[in-house]
Each structure stands twice: as C-alpha cells, then as structure tokens.
Amino acid sequence: MTAPGVEGGVRPRRVVVERRLHPVTPFRRAWAPVAVVVGWAAHDPNQAQEQLTRLTTTTLLVALAVAVPTASLYGFLSWWFTHFSVTDSELRIRTGLLFRRTAHIRLERLQAVDVTQPLLARIAGVAKLRLDVVGADKKDELAFLGESEARALRAELLARAAGFAPETAHEVGEAPARELLRVPPRELAVALTLTGATWGALVAALVVPPVLWLTTHSVWTVLATGVPLLGAAGARSAGRFVGEYDWTVGESPDGLRIDHGLLDRAHETVPPGRVQTVRIVEPLLWRRRGWVRVELDVAGSANSVLVPVAPRAVAEAVVARVLPGVRVPATGTLSRPPRRAGRCVPLWWRGYGVTVADTVFVARHGLLRRSVALVPHAKVQSVRLSQGPWKRLWRLADVHVDTGANKTVTARLRDAQEAAELLRGQADRSRTGRRDARSDRWTA
C-alpha cells in the first residue's frame, strides 16, 4: 500500500534551494581590505605618516585607482561565494573565498533567532539574522538579508524548531505576540540619571581635573584626563539610553520577544526553558519611585536584560512569565546571616540573605544596590560549600550554586550548620526539579 501522491511508497526528497544574501552585502564586505590598511596605520602611526609623506599625488591617485576596484572585487566575490539553504533537518551556511567553511546548524539545537538592524542597515532596508545554537560559543549570522526575508526566514526556522513539517513551516509565519511591557523613553532617561554609576563617573570628571591642576599646574594634563572622564560619564548613560530606547517585551509561543534600540534596532528572543538565573536589581536612588531592573542569565545566549526599568509589580509580572509559578519574595522575608557575620564583613553583612522556595533558590546581596537572584532548582548544575579559616573561627560558610550559564549565585555568611543543610537539601531539590523541568524547545 502506497501513501497518497507517493509512487512506489517512496516519499520524494525535498529540493534544497541555495540562496544568496542581499545584494547590498558586497558594500559591507568591501571594507575589509580598507580595515587592514587602517589597522596597520593605527598600529604604527609614525611609519604610516612617513610612508604617506613620501608618496606623490600621482602615486596616491594610482593607489586609489587600484585599491577601490580591488576592494569592490573582494566584496563581490565574498558575496558571490556565500550561500545558505534550509534542509529537512538543518540550516547550512557556506562561506569563504579562499578558505571554504560550511556550517551545519541542526534545527533542533537552535536556542534563539534574533533579527538586528544597525542604523545603515535600517536605511538600506536590510537586516542581520543571528543564530544562538546549543553548545556553540560564537553566534553564526546571515548578514544581510532583506528585512521581510529575514523575518520570514526567522519564522520558518522557529516553526521548524517547534516541530512543524518542512512542507508547512514556511507557511506558518511569525507567531503572534502579546505585549507585556513597554518602557517609556522619559522613564528610561530618569532612571539612567538616577543610576549610581552615572553619578560616580560625573563626580570623578568634576573632582579629578582640579586635583591634577593643583598638583601639576599643567593644562594639557587636566584636559587629557578630564575630557575622557566627562565623555565616559555621558557616554555611559547616553549609550544605554540609545540601546534600551523603546524597550518592548512581548510573549509568544516561541518565547519572550524583546525589541529595542534608537539607532540600531534589535529583535531578540528569550527561549523558554533556557533561563538559568533571574536577578531583580534595585539601585538606591530608584527605591523611592519603586523601580527595579530585571537581568537574565541565558545558557549560550548574550541576552542579559529583560526589563531595563519598570515598577516592581510590573517587573514581577514579567518574571512570572519567564519562571511560571514563581513569586519573587519580598526583600524583608529573606533570612539574614547571624550577627557574628559582622566580624567577617562589618556593616555590609546586613545586605546578604537567602531563602528556598518550592521551585527556586533565592539569594540576595547589596545594601546600596540590592540584587535578588532567583535560580530554578532544575537549572542548578552543582552546589559547593566554601569556608576560609576566619569564617571557620566564627562558624560561618558560603554556599555556591552553579548554573548552566557558567554563572554562580552565592548565599554568603551562613551559619555553618545551616550551610551544610542548604548544601544537602539543594542537591536533592535539583535532582527532583530536573524531572519536572520546562522543555527547552518551542511549542508548536
């Protein structure tokens, strides 16, 4: 008996079509030879200046006439010899002009597929597709594709990762998203202004130059030090504002979607089940307004921010979508270290705390900049106890919880007996949690 439409009971193999990147890509890659020359000049500016002064106008024009076509030819050939294709089980990317490289990306190993658009790419109407793969230290990317083509390919790859058949994956389209949070630009600007790091850099820019003037009486020394410090103070806040502008978090079947950026737009995905740690950060100057920042540790991904700033209740509602069934404990409910911990860390021992819920291990640190870390029991890779000689004297110990993102959350200055119980209990909870862990795959 044969399947309908299949002769002889043999299913015909799907034709694999190789595709090229967007025709604007050669202009991007043509800069590679120019970058080599610029790098050499920056490495040895004196020699570069000497060589430049020896050249006549005719020689420069001839060099320019050779360099421009050479760079253009390099860009064209590197684009021409780059192909990608989607097969039944993998995404293949073939690159290389002289040295060929073929990347085979298994679709079931995809963690996230992000669409990014630098400023010039937005003007040209193209986008970059970045691929997070389990076990890969470096992201593969397709740069550049047409904006609509990039989004369609992303939707197809996510549909295939969710289990849709190859014949229908390209017809599924991008899954709808429900908006959970949008950060107003004014709120973001105020929050960055109230960040301690910004004020620290500004104070350094205002204090260091007068001190240098009193000690050296050199205008150039003051300018050489003060201008970079002042620029760093502004760039720290301005850079974050540009990068986190119009921050939007939405929920869809393929995970939480994050869109942000004033000049360079990014469309990122937080895959379900890949979040190893969630941190609720509360700077000192934000507490009066009730604002917090939510950061993430995602295995194998560069995603590190979930919410740049939001009221605590709103942020906790978003965290509940990342860690279903988890309620962020109030700061006052965490167990502090015993008072004798002040012998090891005077004053600051009050900023540490720990508690263990049904699904997460929770540790807090910081007095001025509070940070509460939540680690799902299922994501704990190992548990360690450390105790130096001074802590042994005061019967104290630290419990370290290691996660799959190569990060560690530590419960500091615990009573030695309590720490031993935490160690044994967390090992059992981790084994139990992994049995009921949320799937790392997207849902179809």
Side-chain angles (χ1 to χ4, degrees), residues 42-276:
H43 177 70
D44 194 350
N46 294 329
Q47 185 178 359
Q49 185 177 3
E50 292 178 4
Q51 295 293 338
L52 188 61
T53 54
R54 294 176 183 175
L55 299 177
T56 63
T57 303
T58 304
T59 305
L60 287 174
L61 291 176
V62 171
L64 191 62
V66 173
V68 171
T70 300
S72 302
L73 181 62
Y74 171 82
F76 173 79
L77 291 177
S78 62
W79 167 76
W80 183 263
F81 285 99
T82 298
H83 302 82
F84 70 95
S85 59
V86 182
T87 69
D88 290 343
S89 59
E90 62 186 16
L91 169 67
R92 296 175 184 170
I93 306 175
R94 294 197 298 114
T95 59
L97 178 57
L98 300 177
F99 302 97
R100 304 293 291 171
R101 173 182 179 269
T102 302
H104 297 262
I105 302 173
R106 302 288 298 181
L107 297 179
E108 69 269 15
R109 303 286 289 176
L110 281 176
Q111 293 184 148
V113 184
D114 301 332
V115 177
T116 60
Q117 285 186 287
L119 178 60
L120 294 180
R122 293 176 64 186
I123 296 174
V126 296
K128 180 190 301 184
L129 211 64
R130 303 181 65 192
L131 307 158
D132 267 339
V133 184
V134 176
D137 295 330
K138 184 180 179 181
K139 289 186 178 182
D140 283 287
E141 64 179 27
L142 293 172
F144 288 93
L145 301 171
E147 184 176 355
S148 58
E149 182 184 7
R151 293 186 179 274
L153 180 58
R154 175 188 181 275
E156 179 183 355
L157 293 175
L158 292 182
R160 296 282 297 280
F164 283 94
E167 297 79 9
T168 59
H170 67 280
E171 301 174 358
V172 173
E174 191 169 33
R178 179 175 66 91
E179 184 175 303
L180 299 178
L181 166 75
R182 184 181 293 271
V183 179
R186 181 180 178 276
E187 186 173 299
L188 177 62
V190 173
L192 293 176
T193 303
L194 297 178
T195 302
T198 301
W199 285 99
L202 185 60
V203 169
L206 296 177
V207 172
V208 172
V211 173
L212 289 176
W213 171 254
L214 293 175
T215 56
T216 64
H217 297 285
S218 171
V219 176
W220 294 112
T221 302
V222 172
L223 291 177
T225 305
V227 172
L229 286 175
L230 193 60
R236 188 178 184 87
S237 296
R240 279 183 55 181
F241 180 82
V242 170
E244 298 175 356
Y245 180 84
D246 192 29
W247 192 283
T248 306
V249 181
E251 185 180 34
S252 72
D254 51 39
L256 290 186
R257 295 182 187 168
I258 301 175
D259 294 272
H260 61 94
L262 177 61
L263 302 179
D264 299 350
R265 290 294 294 177
H267 182 85
E268 303 172 346
T269 305
V270 179
R274 299 297 299 177
V275 176
Q276 308 292 306

Side-chain angles (χ1 to χ4, degrees), residues 420-440:
E421 293 174 355
L422 276 175
L423 181 70
R424 291 190 295 269
Q426 188 57 49
D428 294 336
R429 285 186 290 268
S430 299
R431 284 193 294 270
T432 304
R434 277 191 284 272
R435 291 201 299 264
D436 304 324
R438 186 182 182 185
S439 172
D440 290 351

Side-chain angles (χ1 to χ4, degrees), residues 265-316:
R265 290 294 294 177
H267 182 85
E268 303 172 346
T269 305
V270 179
R274 299 297 299 177
V275 176
Q276 308 292 306
T277 307
V278 175
R279 282 183 299 277
I280 313 294
V281 181
E282 190 178 16
L284 176 64
L285 299 179
W286 289 16
R287 295 177 195 172
R288 187 174 182 181
R289 295 176 177 266
W291 290 346
V292 297
R293 175 182 176 88
V294 183
E295 300 175 349
L296 300 174
D297 291 333
V298 181
S301 175
N303 290 328
S304 60
V305 179
L306 179 61
V307 180
V309 58
R312 189 178 188 90
V314 176
E316 290 182 358

